[in-house]
Structure formats: structure tokens, C-alpha cells
Amino acid sequence: MPCYAMIVFLLPIGLCNEIESILNRYWWSGTVTGGKGIRWKSWTKLCIEKERGGLGFRRLREMNLSLLDKQVWRLLTRTDSLVAKVYKSRYYPNCSLFEASVGSNLSFL
């Protein structure tokens, strides 16, 4: 479920850590609240690639940043799309995306 929000919003690091903590509890105990279970491996070990001995879980912060990078890539490569035109006219009308400065009337998107 957080994937939809991570495509558009930069989630706070604390929220990413909390979601990973919930995933970790559920993985080892089968329940989110009050479940007891033996943690055979740490969450960082579970996030290692399968080829290197982990389970291949994704780190949410890294996933969030890569999904946002994908949106930037789309703005750069599909300049004729409606979203790219709206963002260009609203946030960086006289420069490139990388030269844009933070404005005063920003939206959460």
C-alpha cells in the first residue's frame, strides 16, 4: 500500500522505519501487535539480495527515492506530457528541472 504514496511523496525517514518495523514484526510473529516470535535474522539481513543470502526485501527509504527518481526521469524524457508541461510552467518556467529553486507557494506534489 505505501507504494502508491511513495510514487508521489517523499515519506519521512521515521515513517519508513516504522513501516519496516511493522513488516518485521509480522514476518516473524504472524501478527502486527503483541505477537511473539524468534527473530532469526535482523531486518538488515533480510533486505540483502537473495543471491547473497538474504530474502530480498526492499528498504522502504531506498524504494521511495527510486520511485521519485523514476518520476523525475519521466519529466525529463517525456517533455510533451501534460504533467511535464504543468510542472514546467508552474515550478521552473525559465530554467531546467535541475536548475529550479524552491518556491514559496509549493504543493505537496
Side-chain angles (χ1 to χ4, degrees):
M1 286 298 273
C3 291
Y4 295 110
M6 288 194 294
I7 291 172
V8 180
F9 302 108
L10 178 62
L11 299 182
I13 295 173
L15 179 61
C16 292
N17 292 338
E18 182 66 27
I19 294 171
E20 285 180 354
S21 175
I22 292 169
L23 290 171
N24 190 4
R25 275 193 306 250
Y26 181 77
W27 177 254
W28 290 117
S29 66
T31 180
V32 175
T33 57
K36 294 189 179 194
I38 299 173
R39 269 109 175 126
W40 295 102
K41 280 192 164 192
S42 68
W43 184 253
T44 55
K45 301 267 184 180
L46 294 176
C47 292
I48 296 173
E49 298 88 19
K50 291 180 183 178
E51 296 81 25
R52 294 182 42 214
L55 292 178
F57 290 157
R58 293 187 176 131
R59 301 293 308 210
L60 290 183
R61 182 64 175 183
E62 294 169 2
M63 186 175 168
N64 186 201
L65 291 174
S66 67
L67 288 171
L68 291 173
D69 289 343
K70 185 177 179 180
Q71 295 302 329
V72 170
W73 179 254
R74 286 183 179 162
L75 289 175
L76 292 172
T77 58
R78 299 179 184 172
T79 56
D80 58 337
S81 69
L82 180 61
V83 173
K85 289 178 182 180
V86 169
Y87 275 36
K88 172 85 173 149
S89 66
R90 172 94 171 124
Y91 296 111
Y92 51 99
N94 301 320
C95 59
S96 73
L97 177 65
F98 295 115
E99 296 168 345
S101 61
V102 177
S104 61
N105 189 14
L106 300 175
S107 72
F108 286 107
L109 302 176

